[in-house]
Amino acid sequence: MSGAAQGSLADLPLRDDLRGQSPYGAPQLDVAVALNTNENSFPLPQALVDAIPLAVAEVAGTLNRYPEREAVLLRADLAAYLGRGLTVDEVWAANGSNEILQELMQAFAGPGRTVLGFTPTYSMHPILARGVGSTFIDGMRAGDFTVAPDSAAEQVAAHQPDVVLLCSPNNPTGTALDPEVVRAVLAVAPGMVIVDEAYAEFARPGSVSALDLLPEHPRLIVTRTMSKAFGMAGLRLGYLAASAAVVDAVQLVRLPYHLSSVTQAVARTALAHTAALLSTVEAIKTQRDRIVRVATGLGCVCAPSDANFVLFGEFADAGRVWADLLELGVLVRDVGIPGWLRVTAGTDEETGAFLDALAEVMRQTEPMRPDQQRTRL
Ligand SMILES: *Cc1c(COP(=O)(O)O)cnc(C)c1O
C-alpha cells in the first residue's frame, strides 16, 4: 500500500535535459568513522552550544512573522569577518553556498548559456549549471590536477563561457589556485567569474584569497561557507562577496524570506564565537598533514592539500579500496577519479582509525608500478 499514485520517473513529463541525470549523493551511512563529506569533526565550543538555544528563544516569539528579508545584520557580521573594507551591500547570504551558487547560476547562466569549470572539481558545479538549463563545459587540467594561468586563459578565450566557476582550494584535489590563474581568467572572461572558496580557512600559508582581487574586478564573485572550517554544516549558511551590483542581480532570483529567522539568529551567534570555532583549524591542518605523511609512507601518492581533506591513490581499483575501508568501519569518498579516493581530516582518533585501516588495506593491495600510474603528481 502507498498513499499516492504509483509510477516511475520515466512516466513523468520531466524536462528532457534532466532525463538520465543523477542527483548529488554522498552516501550518509551509519559508520563509526565518517570522513566522506569534509565536515569539521571536532565538537562545537560548549559556549556556543549553550548560546544557541538562547538565541533561538529570542526569536521564537516572532516566528508568526516572516524573517527580515535582507538579513542585514547577519550580512554586516559576515562582512566584518571577511574584513578588507567589505560592506553589507557587497555581501549576500543564503542557505549554504550551494544556494548562493544556484542563485548565481539563475542570475548569470540559465537556458542557452554556458558555464566552464576545470574538472575534476566540486561535483555540484555541473549539477547546478545543468539545473538552470545551462551547458557545463569541462575545462582541462594538467596530468597533476593543476591548471596553469595560460592554459586557463586559453580555454576561457576559446569557449567564451557566460560564467567561469573556479574552486580554490579545489575539491576534490585539495590544492589552492595560483592567484595568477584567477587574474588570467579575469583578463579574458567575457562574463562572470566565480571563485568557490569553501575551504579558504584551511589554506597553507602564502595562499592568496580572491577576495583581495575584488576591488579591481566588478565581475568577480567569491563564495564562502560556514559548513567547513566553522563546523556549522548542519546550520546551512553560505555567502558571497562581490560588487554591490552583483548583490542587486541576485535579488532578482532569490526566494523571498529565504533565510529563516532561526538561521539568521544562530548564524549571528556562531559568528560571535568565530575565534573559538576557528580554533580547530590548526588541529585539522595537523591531521591533514599527518594523513599525507603517513599515507605516503604506506606507499600511497597524495595530492598536496590546502583544504581539510586529502586525495590519495593511486589504486588499480579504488572502488575496492573504498569497500575494504568501509568494511573496517571507515567511510571515505569515491569522487569518481579512476584510481583515487578522498578522505576528510578528522579528529586525532578518527584520523588514526583511518590510517590504521589504510595500513591494513595496503598490506593486501599491490601498489601500482610507476609505469602503470595514470596521474603524476
Ligand atoms: C562543501 C562545499 C561547499 C559547501 O556547500 P554548503 O552548501 O555551503 O554546505 C561549497 N563548495 C565546495 C567546493 C564544497 O566542497
Side-chain angles (χ1 to χ4, degrees):
M1 267 301 285
S2 120
Q6 300 293 292
S8 76
L9 185 53
D11 303 326
L12 296 177
L14 185 69
R15 274 165 43 186
D16 288 334
D17 60 332
L18 292 182
R19 285 194 190 280
Q21 299 282 342
S22 305
Y24 173 89
Q28 287 195 306
L29 302 179
D30 191 13
V31 290
V33 181
L35 298 174
N36 71 329
T37 50
N38 298 343
E39 294 147 321
N40 184 333
S41 290
F42 286 78
L44 291 173
Q46 192 56 43
L48 172 59
V49 173
D50 293 342
I52 286 173
L54 303 179
V56 173
E58 231 170 86
V59 295
T62 72
L63 290 178
N64 58 318
R65 301 292 177 191
Y66 281 115
E68 201 269 286
R69 202 171 47 213
E70 316 290 340
V72 170
L73 296 175
L74 171 59
R75 287 160 59 201
D77 289 350
L78 290 166
Y81 165 67
L82 293 177
R84 298 169 166 90
L86 287 162
T87 64
V88 173
D89 312 337
E90 296 161 336
V91 172
W92 179 246
N95 297 282
S97 52
N98 275 288
E99 185 179 39
I100 291 282
L101 291 170
Q102 183 174 53
E103 291 176 343
L104 294 172
M105 292 294 120
Q106 290 174 308
F108 297 111
R113 290 193 163 196
T114 55
V115 177
L116 184 143
F118 295 92
T119 59
T121 191
Y122 184 38
S123 61
M124 277 306 297
H125 288 170
I127 294 176
L128 287 162
R130 291 186 198 119
V132 297
S134 297
T135 301
F136 184 84
I137 301 168
D138 237 336
M140 307 285 281
R141 287 175 185 267
D144 61 357
F145 302 131
T146 61
V147 50
D150 54 345
S151 164
E154 255 168 50
Q155 296 183 61
V156 170
H159 291 288
Q160 296 287 305
D162 296 287
V163 176
V164 179
L165 253 172
L166 303 173
C167 191
S168 179
N170 186 51
N171 178 6
T173 58
T175 25
L177 272 180
D178 178 346
E180 288 314 312
V181 175
V182 184
R183 282 205 187 87
V185 167
L186 281 164
V188 296
M192 303 302 294
V193 177
I194 302 170
V195 184
D196 180 340
E197 290 194 352
Y199 301 96
E201 287 89 354
F202 297 108
R204 289 172 294 181
S207 154
V208 178
S209 168
L211 290 171
D212 292 330
L213 306 179
L214 282 174
E216 310 135 60
H217 296 286
R219 293 185 174 189
L220 171 64
I221 304 165
V222 182
T223 65
R224 294 278 187 107
T225 181
M226 292 183 74
S227 298
K228 306 288 160 61
F230 275 86
M232 298 292 290
L235 172 65
R236 309 306 299 128
L237 203 288
Y239 53 105
L240 68 76
S243 73
V246 168
V247 175
D248 289 344
V250 168
Q251 304 312 301
L252 302 173
V253 296
R254 59 112 178 89
L255 294 174
Y257 316 112
H258 67 301
L259 266 186
S260 83
S261 306
V262 173
T263 299
Q264 293 184 42
V266 176
R268 291 196 69 209
T269 306
L271 284 164
H273 291 77
T274 295
L277 278 168
L278 295 185
S279 68
T280 58
V281 165
E282 285 309 313
I284 293 166
K285 288 161 74 174
T286 301
Q287 297 305 320
R288 168 194 73 197
D289 296 340
R290 174 185 175 203
I291 292 173
V292 172
R293 201 175 55 246
V294 177
T296 304
L298 291 171
C300 294
V301 180
C302 296
S305 177
D306 291 286
N308 64 339
F309 56 82
V310 176
L311 189 74
F312 64 102
E314 186 173 350
F315 306 108
D317 185 354
R320 175 78 200 277
V321 174
W322 181 87
D324 288 347
L325 289 170
L326 186 57
E327 190 97 334
L328 295 166
V330 181
L331 178 61
V332 300
R333 187 72 167 271
D334 186 347
V335 287
I337 309 175
W340 296 84
L341 295 170
R342 192 193 71 194
V343 63
T344 308
T347 59
D348 184 46
E349 299 76 50
E350 288 173 324
T351 304
F354 160 70
L355 290 169
D356 289 348
L358 183 65
E360 176 144 356
V361 170
M362 291 302 283
R363 271 196 287 278
Q364 298 147 24
T365 307
E366 189 70 15
M368 267 180 129
R369 290 196 318 270
D371 62 296
Q372 295 172 310
Q373 292 171 5
R374 284 158 289 208
T375 311
R376 266 157 227 288
L377 298 182

